Amino acid sequence: MAVVHYQAAGTGTALPPDRAQAMTLLVQYPPGHPGIPPHRPTGPAFGYVIEGEMLFEPEGEPERVVRAGESFWEPGADVIHV
């Protein structure tokens, strides 16, 4: 099982500090889960794998395995394969 702490910021558009947004999610995938379809985040995000591992591939970059204790970064506006 992969347990991922994921934090995303805002809507991808510049907001004044008093309107900035952030959210934190805990995502759990069972072993062998195919992940989610390629997607384009609405803003920058980072994640930290708490348990297990997952495949991570920002479009145009090589696929890599992110293991427990490691983090990943999604710059926003890029297509991400997880």
Side-chain angles (χ1 to χ4, degrees):
M1 173 186 296
V3 179
V4 180
H5 176 262
Y6 182 84
Q7 186 166 355
T11 61
T13 59
L15 294 173
D18 64 331
R19 293 186 46 219
Q21 301 174 12
M23 78 175 137
T24 299
L25 305 168
L26 181 64
V27 180
Q28 297 183 10
Y29 297 114
H33 189 276
I36 59 175
H39 63 284
R40 186 180 308 272
T42 59
F46 69 89
Y48 178 82
V49 177
I50 298 170
E51 177 184 320
E53 60 185 35
M54 67 176 217
L55 295 175
F56 178 72
E57 181 187 358
E59 194 157 85
E61 295 184 24
E63 178 180 273
R64 70 180 176 104
V65 176
V66 184
R67 294 180 171 81
E70 298 177 344
S71 60
F72 59 93
W73 167 255
E74 297 178 358
D78 293 343
V79 176
I80 304 294
H81 304 257
V82 179

